[in-house]
Amino acid sequence: MTAPDPCRGPYGEDPAACGDPARFEVARHAREPLRVCPVHLGPALLLADGVLWPPGITLVR
């Protein structure tokens, strides 16, 4: 079994910013989806570049 992807933080730039495993994937326009933990889901929807609205959120395990 592989380790879960790390949270990319609210901006999607620094995977070392948060040590929690990513549980959600946020769709973005012309960018790869942003994987975030539950704590950073709200800030990512508001602050990350290219987030679609209404947001496309997928649960990942």
Side-chain angles (χ1 to χ4, degrees):
M1 185 173 208
T2 61
D5 290 340
C7 175
R8 302 287 297 183
Y11 307 109
E13 298 167 1
D14 187 10
C18 178
D20 292 342
R23 296 291 179 221
F24 299 98
E25 188 173 83
V26 178
R28 301 191 295 171
H29 176 72
R31 292 174 175 83
E32 68 180 56
L34 178 60
R35 290 187 168 224
V36 295
C37 68
V39 172
H40 288 120
L41 178 60
L45 294 175
L46 296 173
L47 302 172
D49 289 333
V51 173
L52 302 175
W53 204 260
I57 304 169
T58 305
L59 178 64
V60 294
R61 295 182 188 237

